Structure formats: C-alpha cells, structure tokens
Amino acid sequence: MEGAPVTVQPLGPHTGQRVTIHGEFVGTAYHLLDVVGFLRRKGLSEPDTTVEDPDLIEWRGGGPKAWTARVTGDLPLPIE
C-alpha cells in the first residue's frame, strides 16, 4: 500500500509547515487554508475530500487542528 499523497511537515519554530504532494514540494503553509489551496491547485480537492482524511494527508507533528499563531502576520494565501 502506498502512503498518503500529501505530507505536511511539523511546524518549525519560526516557519510554517512544508507541504509536499506526490513527493514534490508545493509550498509552505502558514494556515490550514494554505493546505487547502495547495490541494486545489494540484487537482486534489473534491467536495468529498477532507483535510482529516489519513488516506489523503499525512500530518507529521500534529493534525489539521494543531495550528498555532507562532508566525506573526500569518495571513492565508488567496484560494483561486
């Protein structure tokens, strides 16, 4: 069985969370909406898809509810 196509790395002390999709670095997430935006841009966002789906996303160092305000000015990226 292959692992989840999306990996979200733990939050660093002064950074966001690095996100890879199918092993390709797609960006750094500073907010959960950033992760959603990366999924949409890669065509992985469907109406029945959830960020809590372990078959879709492997959260390392916490899950989608573990976001903290460690980064100042962490505004979400616009979702197109």
Side-chain angles (χ1 to χ4, degrees), residues 2-17:
E2 192 174 315
V6 180
T7 303
V8 180
Q9 298 295 331
L11 184 66
H14 302 289
T15 63
Q17 294 178 257

Side-chain angles (χ1 to χ4, degrees), residues 20-49:
T20 58
I21 298 179
H22 296 293
E24 174 189 350
F25 173 72
V26 294
T28 301
Y30 297 94
H31 190 278
L32 184 58
L33 291 178
D34 295 338
V35 176
V36 172
F38 296 144
L39 294 174
R40 285 185 179 166
R41 282 182 225 129
K42 287 294 187 174
L44 294 174
S45 181
E46 299 292 331
D48 58 347
T49 302

Side-chain angles (χ1 to χ4, degrees), residues 13 29 50 53 55:
T50 175
D53 181 355
D55 291 330

